[in-house]
Amino acid sequence: MKPDVTAFFDEATNTVSYVVRDPSGSACAIIDSVLDFDNAAARTDTSSADKIIEFVRSNGLSTEWILESHVHADHLSAAPYLQEKLGGKIGIGANITTVQETFGKVFNEGTEFQRDGSQFDKLFEDGDSFHIGQMRGDVLHTPGHTPACLTYVIGDAAFVGDTLFMPDFGTARCDFPGGSSETLYNSIQKILALPDETRIFVGHDYKAQGRDHYAWETTVGEQKELNIHIGHGRKLEDFRKLRDDRDATLGMPRLILPSIQVNMRAGNMPEPEPNGDIMLKLPLNKL
Ligand SMILES: [Fe+2]
């Protein structure tokens, strides 16, 4: 089964969102949507999500799933907005509860912030399957970047979120709370065990040295051969050193504090203040 995949690239956050369609019908899933956010003004905007809505409607598609590969730290999710406009169930990995525990503390959330994943419609475990129309999707738990990262394998296409990037860019950072380069290495081996011809769709692209255009589609075979961090059968110890050394040089993503506060709530904003305004927190010296 070869799903039809349409990518939507958000240059402001280097994020790729996908609409995945059952070629034998009108059912689709939306993976890793973006709610635009002007950080300086703390202003949200739905331009990116509206492009997806326009695409779904103009092609007569019915949205069955709105999937998150993980709790993103670099962009806000538009899942609730898409759900309101298009329907569909919002899904994420069951280990979201670990992320909610960790960041519930960071943001000093009260008991009104549930740490049980109940903000989402579906919590996927490793090995779960689901359907988009007649098309089956399989869930691989691929932690390492975060504890809740999933890879969605739908027909011949794998949506790997932030585990692997394009072969010339490498892999995701592992220095967020609950991240681990050793865990990421083992997760990537699960992805590389898929057939070589499996199409891989990555969650971000930043171009790469010597490449002046954005790209987001590759294959398992190409990753095995060419990935600059993990290709050529790189051993665990070598990968760990390379990854950990590189992570030690990286600053925090520009939108990490607003993103996590919103995304750990399935893309919903915190409860408004008594005057009706919504506030996000900036915990000092925590990250
Ligand atoms: Fe991420």
Side-chain angles (χ1 to χ4, degrees), residues 70-74 145-146 149 162 176 204:
H70 63 297
V71 173
H72 309 279
D74 46 21
H145 171 59
T146 79
C149 287
D162 297 6
F176 294 155
H204 293 290

Side-chain angles (χ1 to χ4, degrees), residues 4 22 36 42 47-48 70 97 111 122-123 128-129 171 181 191 228 232 250-251 281-282 284:
D4 292 336
D22 175 357
D36 305 302
S47 305
S48 291
H70 63 297
T97 54
T111 47
K122 175 72 184 174
L123 301 182
D128 278 353
S129 64
T171 57
S181 54
I191 298 171
I228 58 166
H232 302 294
L250 300 176
K281 294 179 180 175
L282 293 179
L284 289 186

Side-chain angles (χ1 to χ4, degrees), residues 2 19 32 51 55 88-89 107 119 138 141-142 151 156 171 197 209 212 215 226 259-260 265 283:
K2 248 177 116 62
V19 175
D32 288 341
K51 283 183 201 147
F55 175 84
K89 288 188 289 234
F107 292 110
Q119 301 88 344
D138 290 285
H141 182 213
T142 48
T151 292
D156 76 331
T171 57
E197 60 278 14
Q209 211 134 51
D212 64 0
L226 301 172
S259 296
I260 293 184
R265 294 176 161 86

